[in-house]
Each structure stands twice: as C-alpha cells, then as structure tokens.
Amino acid sequence: RRSRHDAIQSSFHSSSPSSQSHQMQMQGFSEEADQQQLNVTTISKTGKNDNECEIMRRVVIQQVALDDTDELERMSRFCIDAFYGDGDEDGTEGSLLSRKWKEIRLGAMQKAQLLDISLSTADNRCIFVAKDVTTTDNTHEIIGCCEVIEEKLDVLMATTTATKQPMSSSSTTARRSSSERERRKTARPRPIIENLCVKGEYRRSGVGIALLHACETAVHRLWGIGQDQIFAQVLEDNHRAYGLFVDKCGYQFLFEDPTCTEVVLDDTLFAKEVVVTKRMLRKFL
C-alpha cells in the first residue's frame, strides 16, 4: 500500500532561536462544540544569565473545511515544510541555485497535496490544525496539523503475510507486488491517521495528543457506528512517534510492513519513492 507520509515527522526542529531552551507542559484543557483549547506554558532561557521566564500560550485545535482554499493552503504549506523543508541534511543552507530548486520542488509537492485534498469529500477525510491564538489579531500561526482519511486496508491479510526477516532488494520488490495484489482482494475502507506534525517548540505539550483526539472523535462522530477502529503507521525507527501512539494514546502494535513507500526529495529526479518498513498500529474507539 502506498503511504503518503510517515504518521509523524521525526526530524523537524524548532524554528526558535538556538539560545532558547524550551520545556512545555499542558496546563489546562477544555473542549467546546467545534474546537479544543489547550493552555500551554513555554519556559525559555533569556538574557546573559539564561534566566528562565514562563510564557503562557493558548492553542486551539480546529477542523479545516475542505472548501476553505486559503486555510488549506496555509495547512499544506506548514505540512510540506515540516516534512521536507527544514534545512539541508548536511546542516548548510546550500547555494542560491539549490535553495531555489528546493523551493520549486516544495511548491510542486504542495500543489500535489492540495489536488489530492480537492478530490476528497467530508465523508472520507477530516483535516485538523493547531493554532497559537495567544495574540488578539487574526494572523494565528499554524503550529501543528493532522488528518484522518479513509483508505482501503486489509489488516488480517497483512498480519499473516508480514515478516520481520531481512530481504534482498529483488525479494522486497516481488513480495511488495504480491502483497499488494492479495490485499486489494480483501481490503475494505478503514480510517488511518496521516501527516501528523507539530512545530518543534510546541512538542511534548499535549498538542500532538489533542490532534489525535480530534481525529478519533471525528471518526466516531462522522463516519458512523461501523467504524470502531482507527489506524496509524510510523517508520520502524521512529521511536518518538511509536511512544506517542502506543504509550500515551493507547494504540496497539499489529505488524511491520516492509512494502510501504514514501516520497523523498531527490536533487536529480525532483522527488522519488523509496521502499521503507513501517509499523501498523490500531486503536479501538
């Protein structure tokens, strides 16, 4: 099965100054009819003596309407930048030409994501954003996003065919083709969480958990009684994401799938798909 992105991005760094040290904790949580609100405390070190000061911030979780073009563009820009745009792997900014080339590729990926969203309906896709609404103006920054989408998954077949044994490249390709053919025969629509990412300085504050909670509530409320399970996938070495889903949110490990793919940037080919192993997780609602 083709997977759009890892369920949570593991290498996104904070955009705050490097002289600051942040610790976050959720001070309060309230839920209203159309949004969730979190009170988040940021502890930052400032000044020559690294004195600590606390900053209270208000964060809300809101659902994005699929016909709200402006908000979808903001969400997509944040999401693509979080997964692909946070600096070069070698830690350097690169030449002007390479930066411009990367900007073009990120723009194309954003357009592709928006096109994919435009083909969806409210019956099979819900998108949520987290915003810092501490200020009174209307330019509230998006600091997190997540979506739940209905895709055809076959959990039973995958559980019986998944393997943890290492395979050669040719074996992986053959098994991937065979697995996908078998799964298409028995797969049925199931809700799966995708594109969960939170801005670095807001991590471990409860924002990620609140975004997951919004997705779970949407499945239970909007998609009917028949959907009593929700799924997620994380890269096999993404221990932070695994801990968030399993240890903090009650998801259960099902199997490892070595046939997943994800898109990565490539200087020569614009972007390319690579085969990766991901862990399939499930939670009963």
Side-chain angles (χ1 to χ4, degrees):
R1 188 186 70 86
R2 173 178 295 193
S3 178
R4 288 177 177 81
H5 301 297
D6 187 19
I8 188 171
Q9 192 263 357
S10 61
S11 61
F12 182 62
H13 305 289
S14 169
S15 61
S16 58
S18 57
S19 60
Q20 292 182 334
S21 173
H22 298 279
Q23 295 178 348
M24 312 286 274
Q25 72 179 80
M26 183 169 59
Q27 298 293 338
F29 177 84
S30 64
E31 186 169 352
E32 299 176 1
D34 58 348
Q35 69 179 26
Q36 303 167 40
Q37 178 176 308
L38 298 84
N39 295 321
V40 178
T41 299
T42 307
I43 302 177
S44 303
K45 290 184 178 181
T46 60
K48 296 181 179 179
N49 298 323
D50 287 338
N51 296 323
E52 291 186 349
C53 65
E54 295 185 355
I55 302 175
M56 180 70 75
R57 297 179 178 178
R58 287 195 306 119
V59 175
V60 296
I61 311 297
Q62 297 177 339
Q63 183 172 352
V64 181
L66 297 183
D67 59 354
D68 189 340
T69 304
D70 293 339
E71 194 70 357
L72 286 174
E73 288 183 354
R74 290 183 64 204
M75 180 281 302
S76 180
R77 191 179 306 114
F78 171 83
C79 180
I80 295 298
D81 187 65
F83 279 95
Y84 299 104
D86 189 47
D88 297 324
E89 293 182 358
D90 60 2
T92 62
E93 294 184 356
S95 66
L96 177 62
L97 181 60
S98 64
R99 293 199 302 271
K100 185 62 177 178
W101 175 231
K102 186 173 185 178
E103 180 181 334
I104 293 173
R105 288 181 291 169
L106 294 181
M109 296 182 76
Q110 180 184 345
K111 290 181 179 179
Q113 184 184 40
L114 290 173
L115 176 61
D116 182 56
I117 293 174
S118 71
L119 300 176
S120 304
T121 68
D123 295 331
N124 61 16
R125 191 172 203 151
C126 292
I127 300 174
F128 296 91
V129 294
K131 295 181 181 179
D132 187 331
V133 295
T134 305
T135 59
T136 56
D137 58 34
N138 293 324
T139 59
H140 297 143
E141 179 188 10
I142 293 178
I143 51 90
C145 67
C146 187
E147 63 180 302
V148 57
I149 184 170
E150 211 171 41
E151 290 188 354
K152 286 190 175 182
L153 302 175
D154 180 65
V155 178
L156 294 179
M157 178 66 70
T159 303
T160 58
T161 59
T163 179
K164 296 183 180 182
Q165 298 300 320
M167 295 182 291
S168 66
S169 176
S170 59
S171 297
T172 300
T173 303
R175 184 179 190 95
R176 176 184 166 194
S177 300
S178 176
S179 291
E180 289 181 347
R181 286 196 300 269
E182 292 299 321
R183 291 180 203 182
R184 281 196 293 267
K185 296 177 182 178
T186 55
R188 70 176 180 86
R190 302 173 190 269
I192 185 168
I193 290 174
E194 297 187 349
N195 296 331
L196 170 62
C197 52
V198 177
K199 188 175 180 180
E201 62 188 282
Y202 293 84
R203 287 184 175 179
R204 293 179 293 278
S205 67
V207 173
I209 294 176
L211 284 166
L212 291 181
H213 175 72
C215 291
E216 294 165 4
T217 302
V219 170
H220 196 66
R221 184 182 73 247
L222 302 177
W223 291 354
I225 301 176
Q227 294 288 14
D228 60 350
Q229 304 173 48
I230 191 169
F231 297 84
Q233 283 185 322
V234 297
L235 283 169
E236 61 178 340
D237 60 351
N238 194 339
H239 305 297
R240 178 184 296 173
Y242 188 83
L244 171 65
F245 280 98
V246 175
D247 298 335
K248 296 183 179 180
C249 295
Y251 285 72
Q252 298 176 330
F253 170 78
L254 287 180
F255 57 87
E256 288 186 352
D257 186 351
T259 68
C260 294
T261 62
E262 69 174 11
V263 177
V264 297
L265 295 181
D266 184 86
D267 289 336
T268 304
L269 302 175
F270 191 88
K272 64 180 180 181
E273 283 188 343
V274 296
V275 179
V276 295
T277 298
K278 293 187 179 183
R279 296 176 176 179
M280 177 67 79
L281 311 176
R282 175 178 62 188
K283 180 179 181 178
F284 288 94
L285 301 175

